[in-house]
Amino acid sequence: MEKKIRNIIICDLDDTLANHEIRNRLYHRSGGNYDILFSPELVVFDTVNERVKLLLDTFHDLDYEVFILSARPDSMLSATETWLNNNKIVYDNIKLKEKKNKYQLSAEWKVNYIKKLQKMPHFKIDITFAIDDWPPVIKAFEEIGIKVLDAKKINTI
């Protein structure tokens, strides 16, 4: 039996789909307290990067799956899902970093997760492109053959 092909767009959250300026400012004012940066209670103050949202909406309307892949800790999952729903952001799947991978570099964690997805026995994924803002992640994705739209450049169009 031939595997079903799933066309996927991968999208990061912080500084890509979500502008987390308030959390970031509070983090810096605290002297670098990660509990503030990754506080579920502060997610409500994030704003939407409308250009990235438009891209996701457009590709979702064309039957691409939107996969949110973020190195936010999974303790933020409920607050993140609420934020996505409140902002009417379409997505099919979401994966945040587990506590056991807390100290793993974001680029390494994301690439490892994508490699696991690519080995799924029931379907084949075709990652059309990813949207991210972090240069190490962009480089790591490109090294495994994923086209990447740099969120910082999207905002200059």
Side-chain angles (χ1 to χ4, degrees):
M1 185 163 115
E2 195 170 319
K3 293 181 185 180
K4 179 181 180 336
I5 296 176
R6 295 169 62 181
N7 296 307
I8 295 175
I9 308 299
I10 293 177
C11 188
D12 179 46
L13 283 168
D14 296 321
D15 284 338
T16 300
L17 179 57
N19 300 311
H20 70 301
E21 294 169 23
I22 290 175
R23 285 189 291 123
N24 203 29
R25 273 192 235 137
L26 291 171
Y27 162 75
H28 287 292
R29 284 185 189 159
S30 73
N33 182 342
Y34 278 99
D35 290 339
I36 291 173
L37 183 62
F38 296 122
S39 169
E41 292 79 19
L42 297 176
V43 170
V44 297
F45 297 111
D46 291 359
T47 60
V48 177
N49 181 333
E50 293 295 337
R51 290 178 183 210
V52 172
K53 182 182 183 302
L54 177 61
L55 271 171
L56 297 181
D57 288 345
T58 301
F59 277 89
H60 195 264
D61 288 348
L62 296 170
D63 291 329
Y64 287 80
E65 292 183 34
V66 174
F67 196 115
I68 306 293
L69 184 61
S70 172
R72 283 183 182 183
D74 62 1
S75 60
M76 296 177 75
L77 182 61
S78 179
T80 300
E81 289 177 324
T82 298
W83 181 86
L84 290 164
N85 292 328
N86 287 346
N87 287 287
K88 298 178 177 34
I89 295 169
V90 295
Y91 68 100
D92 298 285
N93 292 294
I94 183 169
K95 180 68 175 172
L96 304 183
K97 191 189 278 189
E98 306 90 347
K99 191 172 189 170
K100 68 180 180 179
N101 296 318
K102 179 178 181 177
Y103 298 107
Q104 187 176 24
L105 296 174
S106 296
E108 180 183 355
W109 176 77
K110 286 183 177 186
V111 166
N112 287 343
Y113 189 76
I114 287 169
K115 287 180 178 180
K116 284 181 193 174
L117 278 179
Q118 291 172 328
K119 292 179 183 175
M120 296 296 287
H122 306 302
F123 56 85
K124 180 181 184 325
I125 65 168
D126 177 25
I127 300 171
T128 306
F129 63 88
I131 308 170
D132 210 298
D133 70 300
W134 191 244
V137 172
I138 292 170
K139 182 180 179 198
F141 281 176
E142 289 174 341
E143 286 174 353
I144 63 168
I146 298 173
K147 295 177 184 103
V148 184
L149 298 177
D150 185 334
K152 292 175 187 163
K153 293 180 182 174
I154 290 171
N155 289 325
T156 63
I157 296 172

